[in-house]
Amino acid sequence: MSIRQDVHSSGIPVLCQSCEARHRGVCGALDADQLVGLAKTSSKHQVEAGVELVGDAETVGSYSNVLSGVVKLTKSLSDGRQQVVGLQFAPDFLGRPFKAESEINAEAATPVALCSFPKTVIERMMKESPGLEHRLLKQALNELDEARDWIVMLGRKSASEKVASFLVLIARNIDPAANASAPSASFDLPLTRSDIGDFLGLTTETVSRQLTRLRAEGVIRIENNRHVIIDDMKRLEQRCGD
């Protein structure tokens, strides 16, 4: 892998040089010395799909940058039911600063690569670096905006528009190295049809019908039941009802 060489690479730890979280995520707010300090306490690791990353009401001891893959966020009800409330992609920050316990479940929806660091270290650095605190605040506000947009989608869009919107969301975010404005895309669905329905407020059967309809109309192609190919992103975007 070639390492991006620019004026910002001088003094940057090897661990961080090719990391998208440094260029587009919260670590972009740190200078070289701060990155060196954070890298000394950080660890990169791979997690298989289905592994719980953070449990509801679990004591928070560390935070992570998502480097690749998709993280599914859920809320649990008292009777054991779960609701999918969000998805995280690279280079999102996984964790809620200044909370002693997690209020969500975070699970690897696909194989996920993470860079993790102690909670105490990142919260100390937030006090020392207004830029880092600003980045985290900006991400929190972006997530709030996305949640509001999703509420509108759940309340006002048709089933067809919801499924199209979900596919666009995945296509534009699942691969951190891909061009977000690319005219085409291909990916494996990171969620089961049941989870997609949970996320969109639809039944599993409705999700399957809408995917079949999009395929029949030539908007998407589906291989092996879960690999989606989109030859014309604009055509799919037109089906989102935005």
Side-chain angles (χ1 to χ4, degrees):
M1 177 184 294
S2 61
I3 302 301
R4 186 187 318 193
Q5 297 294 337
D6 54 33
V7 293
H8 303 292
S9 295
S10 178
I12 301 299
V14 174
L15 181 72
C16 307
Q17 286 186 0
S18 61
C19 179
E20 285 299 320
R22 181 173 75 87
H23 297 287
R24 299 189 296 120
V26 296
C27 290
L30 303 177
D31 60 29
D33 289 340
Q34 290 171 322
L35 282 171
V36 168
L38 184 60
K40 290 178 179 178
T41 67
S42 302
S43 63
K44 288 188 176 182
H45 51 108
Q46 304 281 336
V47 180
E48 294 300 316
V51 173
E52 184 180 80
L53 306 176
V54 181
D56 188 16
E58 179 180 303
T59 300
V60 177
S62 64
Y63 301 128
S64 300
N65 285 323
V66 180
L67 304 181
S68 66
V70 182
V71 175
K72 177 177 68 175
L73 306 178
T74 64
K75 292 280 287 186
S76 298
L77 301 180
S78 58
D79 61 3
R81 288 177 295 166
Q82 287 191 331
Q83 171 70 44
V84 180
V85 296
L87 299 175
Q88 288 194 306
F89 310 89
D92 285 344
F93 181 85
L94 176 60
R96 174 71 159 79
F98 307 119
K99 278 281 188 179
E101 292 184 349
S102 173
E103 295 183 350
I104 60 167
N105 299 292
E107 177 185 317
T110 68
V112 170
L114 300 170
C115 182
S116 301
F117 25 77
K119 174 178 182 285
T120 53
V121 172
I122 203 70
E123 292 187 350
R124 172 177 55 79
M125 296 186 79
M126 286 175 63
K127 296 177 182 179
E128 299 171 352
S129 173
L132 175 59
E133 191 170 33
H134 176 79
R135 285 281 183 114
L136 287 167
L137 174 60
K138 184 177 180 180
Q139 177 173 313
L141 293 174
N142 286 341
E143 290 176 353
L144 177 60
D145 289 340
E146 290 166 2
R148 287 169 172 166
D149 289 341
W150 209 250
I151 290 172
V152 172
M153 188 275 296
L154 291 175
R156 295 301 178 187
K157 288 190 177 184
S158 67
S160 178
E161 291 168 341
K162 289 179 180 181
V163 172
S165 297
F166 172 78
L167 293 175
V168 169
L169 172 71
I170 302 304
R172 292 306 190 201
N173 291 282
I174 195 168
D175 183 358
N179 181 356
S181 59
S184 61
S186 65
F187 53 87
D188 288 341
L189 286 171
L191 302 181
T192 65
R193 281 161 173 71
S194 176
D195 277 346
I196 295 171
D198 188 21
F199 190 37
L200 300 178
L202 302 172
T203 65
T204 304
E205 293 75 16
T206 298
V207 171
S208 295
R209 282 198 301 269
Q210 294 304 324
L211 288 172
T212 299
R213 179 182 175 186
L214 289 170
R215 179 173 60 182
E217 294 175 357
V219 179
I220 64 174
R221 290 184 283 142
I222 301 178
E223 298 177 349
N224 301 321
N225 204 38
R226 62 187 299 261
H227 185 71
V228 176
I229 301 168
I230 305 166
D231 296 311
D232 187 346
M233 282 295 301
K234 287 186 178 179
R235 189 179 177 195
L236 179 61
E237 289 169 347
Q238 288 170 355
R239 304 296 290 270
C240 294
D242 294 330

